[in-house]
């Protein structure tokens, strides 16, 4: 997994969009933003490691989503656009890439800069509730991802707006990174 500042240049969202020169983002900065990263090689026993993380974090359910033209069929283009709209969730978001590769972009606070996190199979990402983010495939155009949930599987995105800026989960997130009193 590699994190760096997004270049904000127009063009295909599936391209790396790495600045020239590159501006890497450290694991320490991600931790300050309450973003956690793990790499779990897809070898024998990887499921046990996922189970341990799920137990530690109170996750009881999971599913696997195939984000590809084959996996999503006619909904593919609409889903890719929807995933790339800036949004937040009221729950922590955990994704483990079983196959393929893609990008999660997160908003750095307080700069509002985009940080791009390049992920491939074996990478696990934990985003806190209330962080603005988006997702896109890379040029490989496919990801098989395990999604973990505390309760019943659900995926409710709240697109960024003045209302979401005041959402209780957004405010709590900002407090957790010492950005509001």
């Amino acid at each position: 997994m590699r994190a760096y500042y997004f270049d904000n240049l127009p063009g295909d969202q599936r391209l790396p969009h790495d600045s020239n020169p590159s501006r890497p983002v450290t694991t320490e900065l991600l931790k300050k933003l309450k973003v956690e990263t793990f790499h779990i090689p897809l070898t024998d026993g990887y499921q046990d490691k996922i189970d341990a993380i799920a137990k530690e974090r109170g996750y009881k359910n999971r599913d696997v989503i195939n984000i590809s033209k084959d996996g999503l069929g006619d909904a593919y283009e609409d889903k890719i656009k929807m995933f790339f709209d800036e949004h937040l969730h009221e729950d922590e978001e955990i994704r483990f890439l079983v196959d393929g590769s893609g990008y999660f972009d997160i908003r750095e606070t307080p700069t509002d800069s985009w940080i791009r996190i390049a992920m491939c199979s074996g990478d696990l990402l934990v985003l806190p509730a209330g962080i603005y983010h988006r997702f896109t495939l890379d040029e490989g155009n496919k990801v098989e991802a395990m999604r973990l949930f505390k309760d019943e599987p659900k995926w409710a995105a709240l697109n960024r707006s003045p209302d979401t800026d005041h959402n209780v989960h957004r405010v709590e997130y900002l407090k957790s990174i010492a950005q509001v009193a």
Side-chain angles (χ1 to χ4, degrees), residues 1-8 13 15-19 22-37 84 86-87 102-119 125 127-128 131-136 160 173 177:
M1 194 172 322
R2 186 171 87 82
Y4 53 89
Y5 285 95
F6 187 83
D7 66 9
N8 287 314
Q13 69 195 35
L15 295 175
H17 284 279
D18 197 354
S19 300
S22 184
R23 296 175 45 219
V25 171
T26 64
T27 303
E28 290 74 25
L29 177 56
L30 293 177
K31 285 181 182 176
K32 285 181 185 176
L33 297 172
K34 304 297 186 195
V35 173
E36 297 180 59
T37 62
F84 200 64
E86 183 175 2
H87 62 276
Y103 303 109
F104 271 91
D105 297 335
I106 61 168
R107 281 287 188 189
E108 179 184 38
T109 302
T111 69
D112 221 26
S113 297
W114 281 115
I115 294 173
R116 175 152 276 193
I117 303 170
M119 296 179 62
L125 180 70
L127 298 178
I131 191 171
Y132 286 123
H133 66 283
R134 61 190 183 188
F135 172 79
T136 189
R160 189 171 186 176
Y173 169 69
I177 61 169

Side-chain angles (χ1 to χ4, degrees), residues 71-95:
L72 295 174
D74 293 338
Y76 174 77
E77 293 296 334
D78 289 338
K79 290 286 187 183
I80 293 302
K81 288 176 187 167
M82 181 183 70
F83 293 152
F84 200 64
D85 286 337
E86 183 175 2
H87 62 276
L88 63 78
H89 300 288
E90 293 184 336
D91 297 311
E92 187 175 78
E93 180 170 345
I94 294 185
R95 299 294 181 264

Side-chain angles (χ1 to χ4, degrees), residues 12 26 38 50 64 105 151 155 162 166-168 181:
D12 189 339
T26 64
F38 304 85
I50 299 290
V64 175
D105 297 335
D151 296 308
W155 189 87
H166 300 288
N167 176 286
V168 66

Side-chain angles (χ1 to χ4, degrees), residues 155-170:
W155 189 87
L158 303 175
N159 287 347
R160 189 171 186 176
S161 71
D163 289 338
T164 57
D165 287 343
H166 300 288
N167 176 286
V168 66
H169 299 281
R170 176 70 181 163

